[in-house]
Amino acid sequence: MSKQIEMIPVQSSQLHSIGHDPETNTMQVRFLAGRGEQRGPGALYTYQNVTTEDFSAFEKAESKGSHFGKVFKPAKDRFPFERVDESKKDE
């Protein structure tokens, strides 16, 4: 991914932070990893075809994890995704 997307921390038991680039309709989601006090930022995924309206509804959802699970997760054809290989970000 060539453009850095600003990530917004969210209150969620599943998600760490979310971000959106309206120019490319690209969304990024960083999941939570670990347990208990070891809980922290986990894997980062990029989702395509996410409009500003799609992201706004996600951002405003009372439960971000539930919204993600109902809207984005089952719609792999509509919102293709890939895990970001962060080991290559300094290259």
Side-chain angles (χ1 to χ4, degrees):
M1 163 143 270
S2 57
K3 186 174 180 180
Q4 181 72 22
I5 295 177
E6 181 181 348
M7 300 299 283
I8 304 160
V10 295
Q11 290 293 326
S12 173
S13 62
Q14 301 173 45
L15 310 175
H16 176 272
S17 51
I18 60 175
H20 184 252
D21 178 7
E23 291 179 16
T24 61
N25 283 340
T26 303
M27 175 178 76
Q28 286 192 325
V29 175
R30 183 173 301 280
F31 292 89
L32 282 169
R35 294 180 184 271
E37 292 182 22
Q38 300 299 317
R39 200 110 165 116
L44 179 66
Y45 284 80
T46 299
Y47 293 80
Q48 302 300 321
N49 306 326
V50 180
T51 66
T52 300
E53 293 79 16
D54 293 328
F55 184 74
S56 181
F58 182 33
E59 193 175 23
K60 292 175 183 174
E62 187 174 328
S63 171
K64 308 287 189 283
S66 179
H67 184 88
F68 178 83
K70 290 177 184 172
V71 175
F72 298 105
K73 191 173 182 178
K76 295 174 183 147
D77 291 336
R78 181 174 174 204
F79 303 112
F81 67 93
E82 65 181 352
R83 184 174 179 163
V84 176
D85 183 353
E86 296 184 274
S87 67
K88 296 181 180 180
K89 69 181 179 183
D90 294 329
E91 292 180 1

